[in-house]
Amino acid sequence: MSKNYAKVKRYYDTRLWSVAMVHTAVGKWITAEEYTTITGQTYESEDNEGGGKTK
């Protein structure tokens, strides 16, 4: 687990960050898999939302 993952998870768990903010962190601070672990939701890239495929 990276420092960035721990920070993002803490921010999300303490409600400082929303799901949308965690989504924005993917590719910058965390991976798509870490997004799923943190939020419990499947990561979908913005250019593919509604397309059914995940990044």
Side-chain angles (χ1 to χ4, degrees):
M1 171 174 36
S2 70
K3 281 183 170 182
N4 288 334
Y5 169 83
K7 283 182 185 180
V8 173
K9 181 161 177 28
R10 185 174 68 243
Y11 295 161
Y12 180 75
D13 289 346
T14 58
R15 299 178 191 234
L16 293 173
W17 279 24
S18 65
V19 172
M21 294 168 85
V22 177
H23 189 277
T24 300
V26 174
K28 298 172 188 163
W29 283 28
I30 60 172
T31 66
E33 292 79 18
E34 289 170 331
Y35 170 89
T36 300
T37 301
I38 293 169
T39 65
Q41 299 178 13
T42 303
Y43 177 78
E44 293 187 18
S45 63
E46 290 185 16
D47 61 328
N48 198 24
E49 286 189 18
K53 293 184 181 178
T54 57
K55 190 174 186 181

